[in-house]
């Protein structure tokens, strides 16, 4: 059922990023640090009360036309940044809204602004007694 929802909610590209061929793949801190060290992308990530900002220095303005930026509730995926054509994934420090994100390229800096979600969707779980 979750797989069906994922297929409807996300494009194939995003599903492959989230699944890695299995159900949700979580990397440990060592794997994340190892991937960051080999990555050539040097982003700056910070948040305010209302937004999360990602700033990435990009020298070649022509590269901006090749970029594709996607985001979900807790991660941002940027395709077209690396020479090896692998997408760059950034884990966001807070959940974000589905709409309202903006990206601006100015002074050789790509700035992505994503509004934070202040609504916590909580579901109650019933406890069965045996």
């Amino acid at each position: 059922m979750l797989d069906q929802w994922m297929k409807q909610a996300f494009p194939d590209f995003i599903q492959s990023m989230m699944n890695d061929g299995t159900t949700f793949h979580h990397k440990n801190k060592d794997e994340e640090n190892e991937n960051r060290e080999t990555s050539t992308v040097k982003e700056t990530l910070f948040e305010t009360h209302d937004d999360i900002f990602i700033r990435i220095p990009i020298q070649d303005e022509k590269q901006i036309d090749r970029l594709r930026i996607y985001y979900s509730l807790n991660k941002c995926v940027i395709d077209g940044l690396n020479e090896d054509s692998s997408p760059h994934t950034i884990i966001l420090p807070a959940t974000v809204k589905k709409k309202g994100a903006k990206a601006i390229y100015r002074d050789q800096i790509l700035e992505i602004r994503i509004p934070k979600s202040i609504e916590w969707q909580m579901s109650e779980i019933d406890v069965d007694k045996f």
Side-chain angles (χ1 to χ4, degrees), residues 44-109:
T44 303
L45 178 78
F46 65 93
E47 62 182 302
T48 63
H49 290 294
D50 299 321
D51 300 301
I52 294 175
F53 289 88
I54 303 167
R55 290 187 176 155
I56 303 170
I58 299 177
Q59 302 299 320
D60 185 10
E61 188 172 340
K62 293 177 185 175
Q63 189 177 7
I64 298 299
D65 296 331
R66 296 189 308 261
L67 291 182
R68 297 291 175 255
I69 304 169
Y70 307 92
Y71 71 98
S72 65
L73 291 177
N74 66 346
K75 69 173 70 171
C76 182
V77 178
I78 305 169
D79 192 20
L81 274 179
N82 297 327
E83 298 81 28
D84 62 359
S85 74
S86 64
H88 182 67
T89 303
I90 301 167
I91 304 299
L92 302 175
T95 56
V96 294
K97 292 182 180 179
K98 186 176 181 178
K99 301 216 178 215
K102 295 181 181 180
I104 298 171
Y105 181 70
R106 176 178 48 214
D107 298 329
Q108 297 183 335
I109 301 286

Side-chain angles (χ1 to χ4, degrees), residues 13-37:
F13 170 77
I14 298 298
Q15 287 181 47
S16 66
M17 293 296 302
M18 292 173 66
N19 290 339
D20 280 343
T22 62
T23 57
F24 295 102
H25 175 71
H26 296 285
K27 296 180 179 179
N28 62 32
K29 291 287 183 192
D30 292 335
E31 288 177 358
E32 286 180 16
N33 288 338
E34 181 179 308
N35 288 343
R36 282 206 182 272
E37 289 173 6

